[in-house]
Amino acid sequence: MARKSGRFPWLPSGRWFTGRRPGRSRRARSAASPGSPGRRPRPLASVHSVAGQLFLLQVLIVLLLVVAAVITLLVQARSDRFQGARDRSLAAAEAFAHSPGLVETLGGKDPSAVLQPRTESARKRGGLDFIVIMNRDGIRYTHPKPELIGKRFVGTIKPSLNGKVTLESVHGPLGHEVQAVVPVRDARGKIVALVSAGMRVSRVSSAIDRQLPVVLGTGAAALGLATAGTALVSRRLQRQTHGLGPAEMTRMYEHHDAVLHAVREGVIIVDADGCVLLANDEARRLLDLASDAEGRPVDELGLSPQVAELLGSRRAATDEVLQVGDRLLAVNNRPTDRRGGPPGSVATLRDSTELLALAGKAEAAQSRLRLLYDASVAIGTTLDVRRTAEELTQVAVGRFADYVTVDLAEPVLSGEEPPQGAYQEAPELRRVALAGIRDDHPLYQAGELHSFAGTTPMAMVFVTGESVLVPDLQVADHWRDQDPERFQLVLSHGCQSLITVPLQARGVLMGVANFWRIRESTPFEESELSLAEEMAARAAVCIDNARRFTREHALAVTLQHSLLPRGLPEQNALDIAHRYLPAQTGVGGDWFDVIPLPGTRVALVVGDVVGHGLHAAATMGRLRTAVQNFSTLDLPPDDLLSHLDELISRIDQETAAANEDAMVAGATCLYAIYDPSSGVCSMSRAGHLLPALVHPDGTVEFPELPAGPPLGLGVLPFESTDLPLPEGSSLVLYTDGLVEDRKRDIDTGLQLLATALAQPGRTPHETCEAVLSALLPDRQRDDIALLVARTRRLAPERIADREVPSDPAAVADARAEITRQLTQWGLAEAAFTTELIVSELITNAIRHATGPIRVRLLLDSTLICEVSDTSSTAPHLRYAAAEDEGGRGLFLVAQLAQRWGTRYTPGGKIIWAEQALDRPLL
């Protein structure tokens, strides 16, 4: 190619050049900027530049035009002023000369007195300097200056005496004036007087007053436009030439030409018609172009279709790799008309043949980094050992290996910790996870328990604690001892390469991870061993965390179950079924209980301690124990909750005093007592959810109970409500874990509960199953306690109730009545013991109490005797001295009865004694 130094045929307008001055760095260009001290700023338009000379010429032309226009206006203005003064003076004079009555006034005694005010008025309205009326001798009758009246008129009047109109320019008393003299004729045509009007020329306005500002403004605007146009042209030239002068531009083009053909990157410029405008030496070499390539169409250069299409399409391309002979070229192509340049395209060519291998390695490294990142995100999403192992296999299959297996020691699966230190031999391992590209593989299946021989890589990992790489399984005969037949099946399946990595965390070796590749994949290399170890290390930490969680969760669940009821007590008042489901992550403080009470009554309890963990479970155990202890006092529901509230407050105070992190914020509880003899259920709640009542016909309601505060607040007293329950109805008690979830609010949960319960005729066990099937969440995050109690009624014939007068003589009648009732029930053998018990209780009531006394016998699984009175004083068991006459009655009752006690009522108390019917009686 023939070079043209200093100028290029492909730069006709300078638009192609958008580069920087060759040979200058960014710092050097910054130092040479117009504002830097190292280079004198170049003015926008120097007088030595074409733009400066053009600007001076434009200024000169504008000034000459402005001066000519001003002179013309001045000449024209002078002529206009004289003509205007002459016309206005003549018009005023003729108007007065021909005005009616003037001749008569002149013939009067005092013409001046009449004419002076009229002429002055007309003068002022007409803007004249004077209007003078004179006689034929020139003596003035009127004048703007009264002192001049009666004096001779200054001017020429002779022509006017001869009947002509005289116009002249004079310098009169008022200055340079143009005045007109007009004769005044009488009715016979005789000249009897003269009228003169005049005005100063300076008072006549001219068009120059209006035109001169326009001319000057136009000239100024022209100068401004010339200045702005020159500045814009100069700035554009400086921007296009980057502030370079002609010499610098010449030197820059020479450098640009040298650099263009010296760089090791091909440059080829194509115009809008697809013809080559420029191709530097490197482009000729890379594309094997002929010497006459410039000016020829791209399609005629013998290039491959892909290269020719890209160069001629003006399509934008970035590092598009094309095959040209035995070279791989990275081509960047950009259109040249995106910023106002001429249509066409410019392409740069770079030989990337040698970089292809390096790019492949870099891509592989980047792929490994992405795999490690994905592994760090995907592994350990749950605290489940098996699930964590499965996540390791899933993330590695297809991206790192064809098959991945995870084998763990048995203690790890149960949460126990394997022994620390090195192993003498590999323990029994269970395969917990397996994933692969195919399912018809001969590897051990997930769930199988196996032992590896000492020569296998798996056993070597357990003994040495280091990873093992087997690039080719065909030559690895040392582990055929494990299972020769299975080993042959593994080879036949296509497995050819293996990496075995220990799963070790905190110094504990828990198992191994195996990565397999088949023949269709490249064998494992030494560089890939670190990647496998990184993934296994991440999985090992997560598996160890899951193992420790499994152990702690098992301990917590064990503690929780040990604090809950092991079984339901025997009673005949309610048919009860229950379900308790601990949370999948952690344990809570939910509990329930069923407590038999005297008088065939049964207490139902359900509660929830705020918080989770062992502390909540321990607090739940303390509350359940407290409820059982308080229930032995036979307290009403509201009183029992008040005692629990005080207990929770003390627990909080103890926790705060010990500076423990786990603070108990309170608990909720619902306590209900059902009496089968009356069918009434007395309930009270402390911040707990309302119970559900299922009527025998399947109707479901949530009875309104007073909403007491949660336990531990101690702000308001608790209230209880008596609710009659039909026989066969079901009372459903539950905790919030059943009806509330992250994906479901409590109102929706209550609606689902009501729908699940609305089915008549179901047993409590069937009701529990239906409720859990409808409301159990996919992932249970809170404990669930459910208690379903279907009511029964004590038959009226099993209840004997009578009032006893407060008279010792009535005791005998009471004993006789009791004997008849027991005989009727078929318990005649228990009559003697019952008579003694009832006789002693009635006698104590008569002696120590007041008011009506009532005796009631209840026949259930036991025989219950109750004596009620209006006194609130309870008897106490004591030992009587030998000389005491009394004090042995309650001692005798305690010996004869299985249990006895006192229950307080709003109107007094009840002393009760219970006898077993399945043992010999006294």
Side-chain angles (χ1 to χ4, degrees):
M1 170 183 175
R3 303 183 183 178
K4 297 181 181 180
S5 301
R7 58 186 72 241
F8 302 94
W10 42 276
L11 292 175
S13 62
R15 291 185 177 181
W16 285 99
F17 173 72
T18 57
R20 301 179 178 90
R21 295 186 62 182
R24 289 193 178 189
S25 64
R26 184 182 299 272
R27 182 175 302 175
R29 291 194 303 273
S30 176
S33 62
S36 64
R39 179 179 177 180
R40 186 176 62 188
R42 184 182 298 276
L44 290 179
S46 174
V47 294
H48 299 291
S49 64
V50 176
Q53 295 172 1
L54 178 61
F55 175 67
L56 292 178
L57 178 60
Q58 290 175 339
V59 170
L60 181 59
I61 293 174
V62 171
L63 289 177
L64 290 176
L65 291 176
V66 171
V67 170
V70 171
I71 293 174
T72 303
L73 288 176
L74 290 176
V75 174
Q76 182 67 32
R78 180 176 179 82
S79 175
D80 291 344
R81 283 178 176 174
F82 277 102
Q83 183 66 35
R86 184 170 57 250
D87 293 342
R88 292 172 65 180
S89 299
L90 179 60
E94 287 182 345
F96 259 90
H98 297 91
S99 62
L102 177 61
V103 176
E104 290 78 4
T105 302
L106 290 173
K109 294 181 179 181
D110 191 1
S112 295
V114 177
L115 297 175
Q116 175 67 15
R118 295 181 179 180
T119 57
E120 283 301 301
S121 176
R123 179 186 66 82
K124 293 178 181 180
R125 289 198 302 270
L128 302 174
D129 288 331
F130 68 89
I131 298 177
V132 176
I133 302 176
M134 68 194 85
N135 59 16
R136 288 178 59 83
D137 296 328
I139 302 302
R140 301 184 182 101
Y141 290 123
T142 63
H143 196 278
K145 295 180 179 180
E147 66 270 15
L148 298 180
I149 297 175
K151 294 183 180 182
R152 186 174 293 280
F153 175 73
V154 178
T156 303
I157 62 174
K158 187 175 182 180
S160 298
L161 293 175
N162 295 325
K164 296 182 180 180
V165 176
T166 303
L167 294 171
E168 61 180 340
S169 175
V170 298
H171 292 276
L174 300 178
H176 186 201
E177 301 171 338
V178 175
Q179 61 186 16
V181 181
V182 179
V184 178
R185 297 177 185 271
D186 59 7
R188 294 175 301 200
K190 181 181 177 180
I191 298 174
V192 294
L194 300 174
V195 177
S196 178
M199 68 182 300
R200 288 172 294 176
V201 176
S202 60
R203 295 189 62 181
V204 179
S205 62
S206 175
I208 191 173
D209 297 335
R210 300 184 301 275
Q211 296 174 352
L212 186 58
V214 176
V215 171
L216 295 179
T218 304
L223 287 176
L225 290 175
T227 303
T230 304
L232 291 175
V233 170
S234 179
R235 286 185 179 274
R236 177 150 188 170
L237 289 175
Q238 285 190 352
R239 185 166 58 252
Q240 290 182 344
T241 61
H242 294 268
L244 302 178
E248 293 174 318
M249 285 291 295
T250 301
R251 186 168 58 253
M252 183 272 296
Y253 279 125
E254 292 175 352
H255 294 171
H256 191 273
D257 182 46
V259 171
L260 182 65
H261 296 284
V263 295
R264 300 298 297 171
E265 185 168 342
V267 178
I268 182 169
I269 300 176
V270 181
D271 62 11
D273 298 327
C275 296
V276 178
L277 290 178
L278 171 71
N280 67 349
D281 295 343
E282 185 67 9
R284 293 173 179 276
R285 184 184 69 85
L286 295 177
L287 296 177
D288 296 328
L289 299 179
S291 58
D292 59 346
E294 293 182 353
R296 296 174 57 188
V298 176
D299 297 338
E300 299 178 2
L301 298 180
L303 302 175
S304 63
Q306 294 84 356
V307 177
E309 185 275 332
L310 178 59
L311 295 180
S313 64
R314 299 170 58 190
R315 172 173 56 88
T318 301
D319 290 337
E320 186 170 331
V321 179
L322 299 177
Q323 182 81 28
V324 179
D326 56 351
R327 299 188 184 97
L328 287 177
L329 301 183
V331 182
N332 290 276
N333 193 51
R334 293 291 185 274
T336 58
D337 55 355
R338 293 187 302 171
R339 298 183 179 179
S345 62
V346 57
T348 59
L349 313 172
R350 185 174 65 255
D351 191 353
S352 60
T353 306
E354 297 179 355
L355 298 177
L356 186 61
L358 294 177
K361 293 182 179 180
E363 184 179 357
Q366 188 177 9
S367 176
R368 293 177 183 178
L369 289 176
R370 286 196 300 267
L371 177 58
L372 283 178
Y373 172 77
D374 294 342
S376 65
V377 174
I379 299 175
T381 59
T382 65
L383 289 173
D384 183 82
V385 174
R386 286 183 170 82
R387 180 57 190 160
T388 303
E390 291 173 356
E391 290 170 347
L392 170 61
T393 61
Q394 292 170 359
V395 77
V397 166
R399 301 176 62 181
F400 180 71
D402 298 315
Y403 294 95
V404 182
T405 62
V406 176
D407 303 318
L408 298 177
E410 278 290 295
V412 176
L413 299 177
S414 59
E416 300 177 8
E417 186 169 338
Q420 295 187 358
Y423 285 81
Q424 298 298 325
E425 60 181 7
E428 268 194 335
L429 300 178
R430 185 174 296 277
R431 179 147 295 173
V432 296
L434 184 150
I437 59 175
R438 292 166 53 187
D439 296 332
D440 56 341
H441 53 78
L443 302 175
Y444 291 122
Q445 296 294 329
E448 291 188 33
L449 186 66
H450 47 269
S451 298
F452 289 103
T455 57
T456 60
M458 296 75 171
M460 295 172 60
V461 166
F462 262 94
V463 174
T464 63
E466 297 180 356
S467 304
V468 176
L469 168 64
V470 184
D472 189 0
L473 294 174
Q474 295 286 349
V475 299
D477 295 336
H478 55 280
W479 70 321
R480 291 181 180 271
D481 299 338
Q482 169 69 23
D483 189 344
E485 184 177 353
R486 184 181 292 272
F487 177 71
Q488 190 61 41
L489 290 176
V490 170
L491 295 179
S492 301
H493 185 70
C495 296
Q496 69 161 354
S497 186
L498 169 68
I499 289 181
T500 300
V501 183
L503 295 174
Q504 188 173 6
R506 301 179 182 91
V508 177
L509 184 58
M510 299 173 290
V512 294
N514 307 303
F515 303 90
W516 308 77
R517 282 185 182 174
I518 60 177
R519 284 189 293 268
E520 288 77 6
S521 303
T522 58
F524 284 115
E525 299 178 358
E526 192 71 28
S527 60
E528 295 175 307
L529 189 60
S530 60
L531 177 58
E533 291 174 344
E534 287 286 343
M535 289 191 294
R538 166 69 180 174
V541 173
C542 297
I543 289 174
D544 187 57
N545 291 337
R547 176 193 63 80
R548 296 169 66 183
F549 172 79
T550 301
R551 180 185 60 187
E552 295 175 2
H553 184 67
L555 292 175
V557 171
T558 302
L559 172 62
Q560 186 183 42
H561 281 287
S562 67
L563 298 175
L564 291 171
R566 302 284 181 90
L568 296 179
E570 294 184 2
Q571 47 81 33
N572 296 324
L574 297 169
D575 184 9
I576 297 177
H578 65 89
R579 296 291 186 275
Y580 189 89
L581 302 177
Q584 296 180 3
T585 57
V587 294
D590 295 13
W591 94 93
F592 70 94
D593 210 343
V594 179
I595 306 172
L597 297 178
T600 68
R601 295 170 304 138
V602 177
L604 303 176
V605 191
V606 66
D608 184 5
V609 175
V610 176
H612 291 81
L614 293 177
H615 192 75
T619 304
M620 175 268 290
R622 297 176 67 176
L623 285 178
R624 178 171 177 261
T625 302
V627 171
Q628 289 181 337
N629 291 334
F630 291 145
S631 65
T632 59
L633 302 177
D634 212 346
L635 298 175
D638 52 347
D639 289 346
L640 186 140
L641 292 182
S642 298
H643 285 76
L644 287 182
D645 184 66
E646 294 181 4
L647 175 63
I648 289 292
S649 299
R650 288 198 300 271
I651 292 176
D652 287 344
Q653 293 173 2
E654 293 173 0
T655 305
N659 294 323
E660 297 182 8
D661 295 333
M663 296 292 294
V664 177
T668 64
C669 182
L670 190 149
Y671 187 81
I673 298 177
Y674 175 68
D675 187 354
S677 63
S678 62
V680 175
C681 183
S682 179
M683 291 181 284
S684 182
R685 65 184 179 121
H688 203 79
L689 297 174
L690 290 172
L693 178 61
V694 184
H695 291 274
D697 60 353
T699 305
V700 179
E701 67 170 321
F702 295 91
E704 290 294 334
L705 301 180
L711 300 175
L713 299 182
V715 293
L716 294 174
F718 298 98
E719 300 180 37
S720 61
T721 300
D722 292 337
L723 187 66
L725 301 182
E727 185 175 7
S729 60
S730 296
L731 189 64
V732 182
L733 309 181
Y734 52 91
T735 56
D736 58 355
L738 179 67
V739 295
E740 191 174 14
D741 189 57
R742 291 184 177 181
K743 300 180 180 179
R744 179 181 64 205
D745 58 22
I746 192 169
D747 294 333
T748 304
L750 291 176
Q751 293 177 359
L752 293 176
L753 176 62
T755 303
L757 293 174
Q759 182 67 37
R762 286 192 302 208
T763 65
H765 289 280
E766 294 173 345
T767 301
C768 288
E769 294 299 327
V771 169
L772 293 181
S773 176
L775 281 85
L776 190 63
D778 297 334
R779 182 167 181 79
Q780 183 184 339
R781 301 181 183 275
D782 196 5
D783 293 355
I784 295 177
L786 176 63
L787 187 64
V788 180
R790 189 169 60 182
T791 60
R792 298 172 181 169
R793 291 291 298 271
L794 189 62
E797 59 271 14
R798 288 177 172 266
I799 302 174
D801 187 6
R802 63 166 294 175
E803 185 174 343
V804 178
S806 183
D807 184 2
V811 176
D813 295 338
R815 287 200 299 266
E817 184 66 27
I818 289 172
T819 301
R820 285 194 297 272
Q821 184 64 54
L822 293 179
T823 302
Q824 182 179 351
W825 285 343
L827 300 176
E829 67 278 6
F832 179 71
T833 303
T834 306
E835 287 179 3
L836 290 178
I837 293 173
V838 173
S839 177
E840 182 59 33
L841 295 180
I842 294 176
T843 302
N844 283 339
I846 294 173
R847 181 178 299 177
H848 301 289
T850 60
I853 301 172
R854 300 193 67 85
V855 177
R856 188 172 72 159
L857 296 181
L858 302 175
L859 180 59
D860 193 39
S861 59
T862 60
L863 179 62
I864 302 170
C865 303
E866 295 180 349
V867 177
S868 62
D869 55 54
T870 59
S871 174
S872 60
T873 302
H876 297 283
L877 183 65
R878 65 185 180 88
Y879 287 96
E883 63 276 9
D884 290 342
E885 294 182 1
R888 299 176 179 83
L890 286 181
F891 182 80
L892 181 61
V893 171
Q895 295 297 318
L896 295 177
Q898 182 181 9
R899 295 187 305 159
W900 75 281
T902 304
R903 179 169 78 253
Y904 292 96
T905 64
K909 67 176 183 300
I910 297 175
I911 309 297
W912 57 270
E914 183 176 320
Q915 303 176 67
L917 300 179
D918 56 349
R919 64 180 178 86
L921 301 178
L922 179 63

